[in-house]
Amino acid sequence: MSRYSLEDEPSNLDEMPLMMSEEGFENDESDYQTLPRARVNHRQRGLGWFLLGGWKVLCGSCCDCLAHICRRKKELKARTVWLGCPEKCEEKYPKNSIKNQKYNIFTFVPGVLYQQFKFFLNLYFLVVACSQFVPSLKIGYLYTYWAPLGFVLAVTMVREAVDEVRRYQRDKEMNSQLYSKLTVRGKVQVKSSDIQVGDLIIVDKNQRIPADMIFLRTSEKNGACFIRTDQLDGETDWKLKVAVGCTQRLPAVGDLFSITAYVYAQKPQLDIHSFEGNFTREDTDPQIHESLSIENTLWASTVVASGTVIGVVIYTGKETRSVLNTSYAKNKVGLLDLELNRLTKALFLAQVVLSIVMVAVQGFVGPWFRNLFRFVVLFSYIIPISLRVNLDMGKSAYGWMIMKDENIPGTVVRTSTIPEELGRLVYLLTDKTGTLTQNEMVFKRLHLGTVSYGTDTMDEIQSHIIQSYAQVTSQPSNGSTGGATPSRKTQTSGPKVRKSVNSRIHEAVKAIALCHNVTPVYESHVNGETESAEADQDYSDDNRTYQASSPDEVELVRWTQSVGLTLVNRDLNSLQLKTPSGQILSFHILQIFPFTSESKRMGIIVREESTGDITFYMKGADVAMASIVQYNDWLEEECGNMAREGLRTLVVAKKCLSEEQYQDFENRYNQAKLSIHDRGLKVAAVVESLEREMELLCLTGVEDQLQADVRPTLELLRNAGIKIWMLTGDKLETATCIAKSSHLVSRSQDIHVFRPVSNRGEAHLELNAFRRKHDCALVISGDSLEVCLRYYEHEFVELACQCPAVVCCRCSPTQKAQIVTLLQQHTANRTCAIGDGGNDVSMIQAADCGIGIEGKEGKQASLAADFSITQFKHIGRLLMVHGRNSYKRSAALGQFVMHRGMIISTMQAVFSSVFYFASVPLYQGFLMVGYATIYTMFPVFSLVLDQDVKPEMALLYPELYKDLTKGRSLSFKTFLIWVLISVYQGGILMYGALVLFESEFVHVVAISFTALILTELLMVALTIRTWHWLMVVAEFFSLGCYLASLAFLNEYFGIGRVSFGAFLDLSFITTWPFLWKVSAITLVSCLPLYIIKYLKRKFSPPSYSKLSS
């Protein structure tokens, strides 16, 4: 991060207040990271702080400190790498292996146990279970405590182990790929993980590049090759890379060892779009120096698309660009789990308080401390261990339902722990290319100023082209037979005469066919390394594919081919076009000015070989070209029209140069290129001297087709109260175009484009300008975002969150992840990231819920995601139906399981208080285990099939989803209602049993337990909103099981250990008094709740019931 000079802060900043605390403003930029945290740290740290979570913070910081000492990060340094001599390296560089595993052999068990026991719930069960080894505290059998705990841990361990083994296999496959390495003795095969800095590696076509390399030579004649970078930056187009001139010129591959040369490379960095280095050859008399830039590099994880390449490795393993840009997956924990964890803490407090009350009423007599602990264990059913078992099984069930849903085929759930998160999302961060769009360009419109051609009138253009080339060839041969332009004299005779439409179309199409960076590629049919004579290659149209760094350019060249002017060949300094009559026109490329995001335009100067005419062609964004072309009255208006249709526009212009003009330009240009200071500025100034009064030829419109149903899906998500942010690596204009055409920004909305800012003062002014705007979408570029976050993080996030939509363009993969984390910290809302390329992985892993699309850009994103889908439109159903259901079901299930535990604890409390506060269990071990499993488990678990509205309704009224984000299905309020219900029912059941059965006191257990089971079954029926046949089966099955056990397990129905000698006889159960008394107790415990529910539904129905009625 460069140090900014103090002039960045002009005094006028203070006159314009930006909502910000004083302390923040005085901060130097060196500690900008501490800004939001600085405010938090001023709180008092007392005993309260320590008890409420300070201990966690302290333990955490101690562990971090230890970890830091154990693995001090090595400082990354610039390096000098000798070709083919790894042993000459001064430093030890990291091993070139890929490692995505979370644990190793030794850390697996402790790691998984830590992840489990950092939850209060599990830790609590562990303590209770361990206490049963102490004889004086033992209550009931050991298996009643250890079996459920063991089951939960075993399931988790197995799940983690399977994931870990899969990761290990994937890594092993990548690390054991074989590559050819050049040595003095010839080629040897090496594994990817054994490659070192300084090795010379040969990579064949369609092979992955194993480490970051400098490109030394290639089998292609022109000294350049294409690589595919989709796993690095998410763009599907091919990038052209150029070999180092000095090594490409060597006669044979073996000569690489006969020269002494080295590469100086800068220290490893995050930025994948820049590189600075030098190549030096020492054994020649004046040493040869070549400067190296990004076009001489081959980054790891990219794939060679043409030819065979040889490179020298400069960065390996952890220092490669692709690894530096990936973030490590964190263990994701759902919000619902955190909320339940908070509730269990509240329950634990209640349990301790209850135990203390019991001991206090006893009067703290005898070993009261031991009694206190016995009471805590007795009441441990308040927090049921089956809560974790039920929720985990529930999560698996939701995952299974999602994968089985026929409306969203191909959906895969990769993280089974967070399906409820899908129901709580507030921010959706989406990638653009390949996620919202198909990344397929279609040429839609050509506008010549007076006339416009659309898709239906392209045949007219074709006939014009055929006509104009026919005229040229039929002219008497006066030296311009091959040429497409009539000879120079007619042209210079003054521009007064308006050109015919025919010649204007001809000029425009020719300009589009020449002004680009596209290379035609032919699949060679010759096997073997060397391609024999050119004639062997098949130059037919079917065998030709075009490659370029932008899909727009490819589409433009494909379009010129469709209207008759075909690009057939291109190398570094010549171009060949084929006319409709099959004639070949050759052009010599004199200069190329590539497209940059600053200039927003590209130019090319060509000399036509048949006539010798020199023409400067240029195309670019309307913003950049408007000031360059001659005055006209239509350009701005037409560009606006096309942009509103969501087309990407390019303005094409040309200028004819005389030989003298060109020579003068070339001299100045070459001089500027050699200057050391401000080279970029000087070169730009020379080029700008040419860019004046150019003749405007045409305006083109290309459409990037959206994925199926993107518009309705975005509309649905917006109505559901989800704010959508688009994060893309693409250009600002394109991103804005797509935002409009996909209706991410609605037609009526204003768009505020955040001006590029580079320092604090500019950011301040621009943020103030943005604050004055209301209800408008924000478009900001990655660099400006970086500056704003450096100085005004809090303010910027606050403003951006008020926007209906935000578009961030030119974002690096790490920036995408940074934006996700920002939203999580500042808004405390749940975020979801969706993407399809390798560049979206860090964003997907950082979000609370990551969704990957299996797209053209490979499977990397869908493998790293928690959920993977096949099309963007499926996200609507995934969230509105499955997310909503999962959350509501889990909330109901969690609270019901807690209610089940609280009822029995209330009964235990009543029982103990009647029996002189003895710490004696009411029900025996087997009854307790049976209660939590066989008797009530199925009906309670069948709540995962419950739904409040039909899926069609949920999709029709996305507003239903809005309610969920407030988290009302599971809150302290709903929880307290359940507590009251439990206390009421537990009290009624126990007192009822004691009051009605004074004579046969022994039967209390049988009666209260039977009434309890019936109450639970009725309560499940009360909670269910939509019946499913399985629910009915579950209810009757459980009842059947209970009745069967009454008959066969009667020795358990005594009180305490069989101390009262009570054995149950079947004759008692079948008597009328037993039946009517049980029914009466059950009725009193349940009927009021049914009445209350009915009244509530009648007088204040929930939103969903209005729809379902």
Side-chain angles (χ1 to χ4, degrees):
M1 198 184 301
S2 61
R3 281 259 164 239
Y4 283 87
S5 58
L6 288 173
E7 289 104 29
D8 273 4
E9 299 179 19
S11 54
N12 62 357
L13 281 190
D14 306 324
E15 295 159 23
M16 302 167 296
L18 218 156
M19 289 181 247
M20 177 156 192
S21 63
E22 295 304 308
E23 47 156 338
F25 216 98
E26 285 140 22
N27 273 337
D28 173 46
E29 69 270 35
S30 61
D31 48 35
Y32 75 93
Q33 290 129 322
T34 59
L35 231 173
R37 289 170 212 152
R39 302 171 192 170
V40 183
N41 293 344
H42 290 312
R43 289 196 207 128
Q44 293 297 309
R45 294 187 170 180
L47 182 65
W49 173 79
F50 181 78
L51 290 175
L52 282 173
W55 62 277
K56 261 192 195 165
V57 179
L58 290 176
C59 294
S61 51
C62 292
C63 295
D64 290 348
C65 199
L66 280 170
H68 187 70
I69 293 167
C70 297
R71 46 157 197 248
R72 280 212 182 106
K73 261 210 174 145
K74 216 176 68 186
E75 200 185 336
L76 302 173
K77 289 186 186 144
R79 57 198 59 189
T80 301
V81 180
W82 293 83
L83 265 59
C85 307
E87 62 283 348
K88 275 198 192 174
C89 294
E90 309 106 54
E91 300 241 350
K92 192 167 176 290
Y93 297 115
K95 201 169 138 63
N96 192 38
S97 57
I98 295 173
K99 184 169 184 291
N100 287 316
Q101 289 157 264
K102 286 188 198 168
Y103 311 105
N104 58 30
I105 293 280
F106 304 106
T107 58
F108 179 72
V109 175
V112 175
L113 289 177
Y114 168 72
Q115 287 301 336
Q116 283 303 304
F117 290 126
K118 78 177 179 191
F119 276 110
F120 175 76
L121 193 63
N122 295 4
L123 189 64
Y124 164 80
F125 294 134
L126 185 69
V127 173
V128 168
C130 290
S131 72
Q132 293 303 294
F133 288 120
V134 181
S136 59
L137 300 179
K138 190 166 183 240
I139 291 179
Y141 303 105
L142 272 180
Y143 68 81
T144 57
Y145 293 92
W146 281 97
L149 186 65
F151 177 71
V152 175
L153 286 182
V155 169
T156 313
M157 287 265 194
V158 169
R159 199 171 57 202
E160 280 292 332
V162 169
D163 286 352
E164 199 58 13
V165 167
R166 280 187 194 148
R167 279 189 214 106
Y168 170 72
Q169 285 167 340
R170 279 210 297 267
D171 291 349
K172 193 174 171 189
E173 191 183 332
M174 293 291 259
N175 289 330
S176 51
Q177 281 178 351
L178 291 176
Y179 290 89
S180 305
K181 169 171 137 182
L182 272 186
T183 59
V184 187
R185 291 179 293 286
K187 290 184 190 178
V188 258
Q189 293 282 313
V190 299
K191 274 189 187 167
S192 167
S193 54
D194 296 336
I195 290 173
Q196 294 168 297
V197 172
D199 280 346
L200 296 177
I201 301 293
I202 302 174
V203 186
D204 295 317
K205 185 175 173 179
N206 290 332
Q207 222 181 350
R208 185 182 70 89
I209 293 171
D212 288 356
M213 312 199 291
I214 292 295
F215 183 13
L216 298 180
R217 63 183 287 140
T218 169
S219 60
E220 304 279 299
K221 293 186 198 62
N222 56 13
C225 81
F226 282 105
I227 61 168
R228 292 201 296 269
T229 59
D230 47 2
Q231 295 304 328
L232 193 61
D233 60 7
E235 298 300 318
T236 49
D237 36 7
W238 293 9
K239 308 278 188 292
L240 186 72
K241 297 288 178 181
V242 183
V244 176
C246 171
T247 45
Q248 179 66 22
R249 286 192 296 270
L250 294 174
V253 174
D255 297 340
L256 284 171
F257 286 100
S258 61
I259 63 170
T260 30
Y262 62 84
V263 168
Y264 170 78
Q266 63 182 145
K267 67 172 194 218
Q269 291 177 322
L270 277 172
D271 189 2
I272 51 178
H273 300 297
S274 71
F275 174 76
E276 286 169 17
N278 287 315
F279 176 88
T280 309
R281 179 171 172 185
E282 282 193 329
D283 56 352
T284 50
D285 190 13
Q287 292 187 354
I288 299 176
H289 294 287
E290 279 193 47
S291 74
L292 302 175
S293 70
I294 185 71
E295 60 179 18
N296 308 110
T297 58
L298 303 168
W299 297 144
S301 292
T302 56
V303 176
V304 178
S306 65
T308 303
V309 303
I310 298 173
V312 59
V313 176
I314 51 170
Y315 308 126
T316 52
K318 285 184 230 155
E319 296 178 342
T320 59
R321 292 290 202 267
S322 64
V323 175
L324 286 172
N325 268 294
T326 42
S327 55
Y328 289 101
K330 55 176 188 178
N331 280 334
K332 296 189 184 181
V333 179
L335 187 58
L336 185 95
D337 295 326
L338 297 174
E339 288 169 344
L340 285 169
N341 204 32
R342 278 206 295 273
L343 294 181
T344 42
K345 285 178 189 167
L347 283 175
F348 176 68
L349 277 173
Q351 176 188 351
V352 173
V353 169
L354 189 60
S355 308
I356 292 171
V357 168
M358 286 290 184
V359 177
V361 177
Q362 268 183 336
F364 293 110
V365 285
W368 66 271
F369 208 83
R370 196 188 67 195
N371 283 350
L372 177 69
F373 207 93
R374 277 182 72 101
F375 272 123
V376 170
V377 176
L378 264 183
F379 295 140
S380 67
Y381 285 102
I382 283 190
I383 306 175
I385 188 157
S386 52
L387 182 61
R388 276 315 295 269
V389 184
N390 274 313
L391 285 178
D392 283 358
M393 283 165 50
K395 288 172 198 281
S396 308
Y398 307 140
W400 185 81
M401 287 176 202
I402 292 173
M403 297 211 263
K404 281 279 167 281
D405 188 344
E406 286 156 13
N407 295 299
I408 44 173
T411 305
V412 183
V413 178
R414 295 185 198 278
T415 309
S416 53
T417 51
I418 54 168
E420 299 92 1
E421 287 295 271
L422 292 171
R424 310 285 300 272
L425 303 174
V426 181
Y427 289 99
L428 176 71
L429 300 106
T430 162
D431 175 40
K432 177 187 74 73
T433 316
T435 304
L436 295 177
T437 66
Q438 296 178 16
N439 208 20
E440 280 178 10
M441 304 296 163
V442 180
F443 189 92
K444 285 284 189 183
R445 176 130 342 142
L446 179 73
H447 204 295
L448 300 169
T450 51
V451 56
S452 158
Y453 294 95
T455 33
D456 43 355
T457 47
M458 291 297 177
D459 47 344
E460 286 182 36
I461 298 182
Q462 196 169 353
S463 58
H464 280 304
I465 294 289
I466 293 171
Q467 216 175 327
S468 61
Y469 279 106
Q471 282 172 7
V472 173
T473 38
S474 61
Q475 276 178 1
S477 99
N478 54 3
S480 69
T481 30
T485 38
S487 62
R488 174 53 57 78
K489 294 184 190 69
T490 54
Q491 272 190 348
T492 45
S493 63
K496 308 284 179 293
V497 193
R498 290 207 58 172
K499 295 186 174 171
S500 68
V501 169
N502 197 341
S503 68
R504 282 164 59 204
I505 288 180
H506 170 207
E507 283 296 327
V509 173
K510 183 172 155 193
I512 297 171
L514 288 172
C515 182
H516 53 69
N517 249 327
V518 181
T519 310
V521 179
Y522 296 93
E523 286 298 321
S524 58
H525 295 298
V526 189
N527 299 327
E529 292 293 304
T530 55
E531 263 114 39
S532 51
E534 297 281 304
D536 291 1
Q537 285 203 0
D538 174 7
Y539 279 123
S540 69
D541 288 355
D542 325 333
N543 190 36
R544 183 188 314 113
T545 51
Y546 291 118
Q547 285 309 336
S549 61
S550 113
D552 307 40
E553 289 207 308
V554 175
E555 178 52 34
L556 289 172
V557 175
R558 275 207 205 111
W559 175 77
T560 61
Q561 176 184 340
S562 74
V563 294
L565 200 56
T566 311
L567 171 72
V568 286
N569 219 328
R570 169 164 192 162
D571 52 34
L572 292 178
N573 39 27
S574 74
L575 260 172
Q576 279 155 350
L577 301 179
K578 190 169 81 179
T579 65
S581 55
Q583 201 178 5
I584 300 284
L585 309 175
S586 293
F587 296 86
H588 188 71
I589 301 175
L590 301 173
Q591 299 288 353
I592 285 190
F593 315 113
F595 181 96
T596 64
S597 48
E598 289 73 50
S599 71
K600 297 193 172 54
R601 54 186 181 262
M602 73 143 307
I604 186 169
I605 302 181
V606 293
R607 176 190 279 128
E608 188 164 338
E609 294 197 352
S610 55
T611 59
D613 294 344
I614 299 176
T615 317
F616 172 35
Y617 288 106
M618 188 149 213
K619 70 169 183 210
D622 49 320
V623 213
M625 299 289 287
S627 54
I628 292 172
V629 296
Q630 291 166 350
Y631 173 76
N632 62 67
D633 52 3
W634 60 272
L635 183 63
E636 194 179 341
E637 187 188 346
E638 284 308 322
C639 281
N641 291 343
M642 286 197 192
R644 277 191 285 283
E645 291 175 38
L647 301 179
R648 302 164 163 223
T649 53
L650 281 176
V651 179
V652 185
K654 76 164 196 176
K655 185 178 195 175
C656 296
L657 302 176
S658 63
E659 192 67 48
E660 302 78 58
Q661 279 174 313
Y662 176 68
Q663 284 309 327
D664 168 50
F665 165 77
E666 191 176 36
N667 295 336
R668 287 182 301 142
Y669 187 64
N670 288 340
Q671 219 167 341
K673 279 213 294 197
L674 288 173
S675 60
I676 297 172
H677 301 296
D678 297 331
R679 181 188 299 179
L681 289 173
K682 288 181 182 166
V683 170
V686 175
V687 177
E688 265 170 37
S689 67
L690 268 191
E691 300 171 345
R692 290 195 187 128
E693 288 295 299
M694 295 186 71
E695 181 189 339
L696 173 59
L697 297 174
C698 66
L699 176 65
T700 64
V702 174
E703 181 184 37
D704 184 353
Q705 291 193 306
L706 294 174
Q707 294 263 12
D709 292 341
V710 162
R711 288 176 191 146
T713 306
L714 288 178
E715 185 73 18
L716 177 83
L717 296 174
R718 249 206 317 273
N719 290 341
I722 295 175
K723 291 188 178 168
I724 303 163
W725 289 34
M726 183 165 92
L727 313 180
T728 169
D730 218 325
K731 302 193 287 290
L732 190 131
E733 290 78 21
T734 320
T736 320
C737 253
I738 296 297
K740 283 178 183 164
S741 66
S742 66
H743 295 188
L744 176 69
V745 178
S746 57
R747 289 274 165 97
S748 55
Q749 252 165 21
D750 283 343
I751 292 188
H752 177 81
V753 178
F754 205 87
R755 284 212 316 273
V757 296
S758 55
N759 57 36
R760 185 172 188 160
E762 290 174 358
H764 188 110
L765 289 165
E766 194 52 35
L767 277 170
N768 274 341
F770 175 44
R771 167 166 285 122
R772 293 186 199 105
K773 296 273 180 80
H774 288 294
D775 188 48
C776 69
L778 170 68
V779 179
I780 186 169
S781 71
D783 316 337
S784 310
L785 182 74
E786 188 94 353
V787 177
C788 289
L789 295 181
R790 184 176 309 161
Y791 301 114
Y792 298 116
E793 180 180 294
H794 188 72
E795 288 70 18
F796 175 76
V797 178
E798 197 180 328
L799 283 175
C801 288
Q802 291 163 7
C803 291
V806 178
V807 177
C808 302
C809 48
R810 289 266 168 233
C811 280
S812 67
T814 14
Q815 244 176 341
K816 289 183 175 187
Q818 193 188 352
I819 294 170
V820 173
T821 341
L822 265 177
L823 282 175
Q824 288 168 336
Q825 286 166 355
H826 283 272
T827 63
N829 283 326
R830 304 318 265 176
T831 55
C832 169
I834 175 167
D836 68 326
N839 61 329
D840 303 316
V841 170
S842 4
M843 157 171 92
I844 284 172
Q845 288 177 339
D848 296 302
C849 166
I851 300 179
I853 294 184
E854 284 190 26
K856 290 188 177 153
E857 302 184 11
K859 284 193 164 187
Q860 201 171 347
S862 78
L863 287 172
D866 306 307
F867 301 91
S868 96
I869 55 181
T870 50
Q871 281 180 312
F872 183 77
K873 63 176 180 184
H874 291 166
I875 193 174
R877 191 176 173 91
L878 192 65
L879 302 187
M880 301 301 123
V881 177
H882 293 287
R884 187 167 182 278
N885 283 345
S886 301
Y887 169 57
K888 295 202 85 155
R889 287 164 177 173
S890 278
L893 185 65
Q895 297 186 100
F896 204 93
V897 174
M898 284 181 176
H899 151 81
R900 193 170 71 182
M902 284 184 291
I903 271 201
I904 207 156
S905 297
T906 312
M907 293 172 76
Q908 175 71 52
V910 172
F911 175 76
S912 289
S913 51
V914 169
F915 277 83
Y916 312 107
F917 306 103
S919 49
V920 176
L922 167 61
Y923 298 130
Q924 281 316 298
F926 182 80
L927 281 188
M928 289 309 287
V929 173
Y931 173 62
T933 53
I934 191 115
Y935 300 151
T936 61
M937 166 132 181
F938 297 106
V940 172
F941 187 66
S942 71
L943 286 174
V944 303
L945 300 168
D946 190 19
Q947 56 180 29
D948 51 0
V949 293
K950 292 197 172 69
E952 298 73 43
M953 276 290 176
L955 286 168
L956 192 59
Y957 298 102
E959 291 75 12
L960 287 171
Y961 187 89
K962 246 185 225 173
D963 292 351
L964 302 190
T965 49
K966 303 183 182 113
R968 288 186 185 150
S969 303
L970 174 68
S971 59
F972 270 105
K973 182 184 160 192
T974 56
F975 175 64
L976 281 173
I977 292 173
W978 275 109
V979 171
L980 293 174
I981 292 175
S982 311
V983 171
Y984 165 74
Q985 291 188 331
I988 291 287
L989 291 174
M990 201 62 223
Y991 273 120
L994 292 173
V995 168
L996 293 180
F997 287 86
E998 279 168 35
S999 50
E1000 316 103 354
F1001 205 62
V1002 199
H1003 300 144
V1004 166
V1005 173
I1007 284 157
S1008 60
F1009 197 75
T1010 309
L1012 173 64
I1013 298 289
L1014 289 175
T1015 300
E1016 280 298 294
L1017 296 181
L1018 286 172
M1019 282 303 292
V1020 171
L1022 177 72
T1023 314
I1024 287 171
R1025 290 175 288 235
T1026 311
W1027 284 88
H1028 186 283
W1029 63 271
L1030 277 171
M1031 295 174 171
V1032 184
V1033 171
E1035 290 262 350
F1036 283 111
F1037 175 72
S1038 297
L1039 191 60
C1041 287
Y1042 178 65
L1043 295 175
S1045 60
L1046 263 185
F1048 301 115
L1049 301 168
N1050 53 21
E1051 75 262 28
Y1052 281 105
F1053 287 92
I1055 298 180
R1057 296 286 151 78
V1058 195
S1059 49
F1060 292 79
F1063 281 94
L1064 212 110
D1065 45 344
L1066 275 173
S1067 57
F1068 170 65
I1069 294 179
T1070 46
T1071 56
W1072 274 111
F1074 175 80
L1075 294 175
W1076 79 255
K1077 286 175 181 178
V1078 167
S1079 312
I1081 295 172
T1082 313
L1083 205 61
V1084 174
S1085 78
C1086 290
L1087 195 61
L1089 296 171
Y1090 270 89
I1091 295 168
I1092 291 170
K1093 182 178 177 180
Y1094 173 74
L1095 293 175
K1096 190 164 181 274
R1097 279 300 285 262
K1098 199 156 176 57
F1099 296 113
S1100 71
S1103 50
Y1104 63 82
S1105 64
K1106 296 170 191 165
L1107 297 176
S1108 48
S1109 55

